[in-house]
Amino acid sequence: MLELQNVSFSVTADGQNKEIIRNVNMIIPDNKFVVITGPNGGGKSTLARLIAGIEKPSSGKILLNGEDITDKSITDRARLGLGYAFQQPVRFKGITVLDLIRIASGKRLTPGDACEYLSSVGLCAREYIDREVDASLSGGELKRIEIATVLAKGSKLSVFDEPEAGIDLWSFGNLIEVFEGMRRSIHDSSILIISHQERILNIADEIAVLRNGELVKHGSKDEVLPTLIGTSEAVKECRNGVVVRKGGEA
């Protein structure tokens, strides 16, 4: 379980202090698929980076399974079972897909073991296992390989920052299938996704809405999603980037 206690984050620019995240209190329970959504510039990706340890809160605490991880490094958080997938996956020239999955798992996996993770994200393992993680891979391929590394790591909490960013509609459809599979197989772990996409919101257990750095809604999908779709408030928020529908239009 992840718990955020009065988490705030601010930056100083041009001599002025700007608060990006304001007193966020939130619990991500075990065995849940949670999506954080909200208008562009509302602080969603910043909150994901705070959870991952890329940024440090200005105030407040972050607890993972009851342990205070507020001041712990990215590496320490990973050891405690927190996985993070970047909005734009990193490319590694000279490192093969097999190498990357082995590094993520922390084990000397056989090619056959690594292939199982690739197959679980819809990739033909034989075609990818020996390829380099470089510019020859498309955005959709990189996204799925990154998810395979998260699966190989066996994280207790997996955080995905806008996984739909930069991929085409065909790849997005495949990505949804991967997340649906992950949702069905959740056991003693949780998934947290930052997303605007209605199809991702539709497979969530819980949805949280972050606006202007503040958590304004958090509840079950059945409670929150109707307030974002098909209402006058939703129309206003949609124009500001809250929900992107299946066809890719707000």
Side-chain angles (χ1 to χ4, degrees):
M1 180 178 77
L2 182 80
E3 184 174 0
L4 307 180
Q5 298 180 348
N6 296 312
V7 170
S8 296
F9 176 74
S10 59
V11 296
T12 301
D14 298 325
Q16 295 186 339
N17 190 62
K18 181 179 181 181
E19 198 168 28
I20 309 297
I21 300 294
R22 298 184 182 89
N23 296 319
V24 170
N25 289 279
M26 185 179 184
I27 291 177
I28 310 244
D30 292 335
N31 307 315
K32 293 293 183 180
F33 189 112
V34 181
V35 178
I36 298 179
T37 192
N40 290 329
K44 302 181 301 299
S45 291
T46 298
L47 188 62
R49 291 196 295 272
L50 288 167
I51 292 170
I54 298 169
E55 304 283 2
K56 300 295 183 184
S58 304
S59 61
K61 291 183 179 181
I62 302 174
L63 284 72
L64 182 64
N65 296 324
E67 181 174 350
D68 189 345
I69 63 169
T70 310
D71 295 320
K72 290 190 180 297
S73 67
I74 298 172
T75 301
D76 288 338
R77 294 181 197 214
R79 288 174 180 150
L80 290 171
L82 197 155
Y84 180 78
F86 290 89
Q87 190 175 126
Q88 296 296 333
V90 180
R91 300 175 188 268
F92 300 95
K93 186 173 177 58
I95 295 179
T96 67
V97 172
L98 175 58
D99 293 333
L100 195 62
I101 294 176
R102 281 175 170 169
I103 291 169
S105 70
K107 302 174 183 176
R108 185 68 180 176
L109 296 177
T110 67
D113 291 333
C115 283
E116 289 186 16
Y117 292 113
L118 290 173
S119 296
S120 70
V121 297
L123 294 177
C124 179
R126 291 191 304 273
E127 296 179 8
Y128 288 91
I129 198 71
D130 293 320
R131 288 184 64 177
E132 289 190 11
V133 188
D134 58 15
S136 67
L137 294 169
S138 70
E141 289 170 328
L142 279 170
K143 293 278 187 181
R144 284 190 275 175
I145 289 168
E146 186 175 44
I147 294 172
T149 65
V150 172
L151 294 174
K153 185 181 181 303
S155 301
K156 292 294 184 181
L157 173 65
S158 301
V159 181
F160 297 89
D161 185 8
E162 296 196 28
E164 69 271 17
I167 62 174
D168 56 43
L169 287 176
W170 183 87
S171 295
F172 177 65
N174 282 274
L175 198 64
I176 291 295
E177 291 179 5
V178 171
F179 284 130
E180 286 176 334
M182 292 176 69
R183 168 66 188 83
R184 290 190 296 269
S185 61
I186 287 178
H187 179 65
D188 293 332
S189 63
S190 297
I191 298 168
L192 176 63
I193 297 182
I194 309 298
S195 181
H196 294 146
Q197 288 285 349
E198 184 180 342
R199 288 178 65 183
I200 293 179
L201 293 170
N202 265 315
I203 59 176
D205 294 312
E206 298 180 1
I207 297 173
V209 180
L210 199 68
R211 186 193 300 127
N212 296 325
E214 297 180 338
L215 187 66
V216 296
K217 296 174 187 173
H218 184 196
S220 71
K221 176 189 70 176
D222 293 340
E223 293 171 336
V224 178
L225 190 56
T227 71
L228 301 178
I229 299 174
T231 67
S232 58
E233 179 186 359
V235 171
K236 180 179 178 181
E237 290 188 340
C238 188
R239 287 173 182 163
N240 287 286
V242 170
V243 176
V244 176
R245 298 183 181 275
K246 293 179 183 179
E249 297 179 354

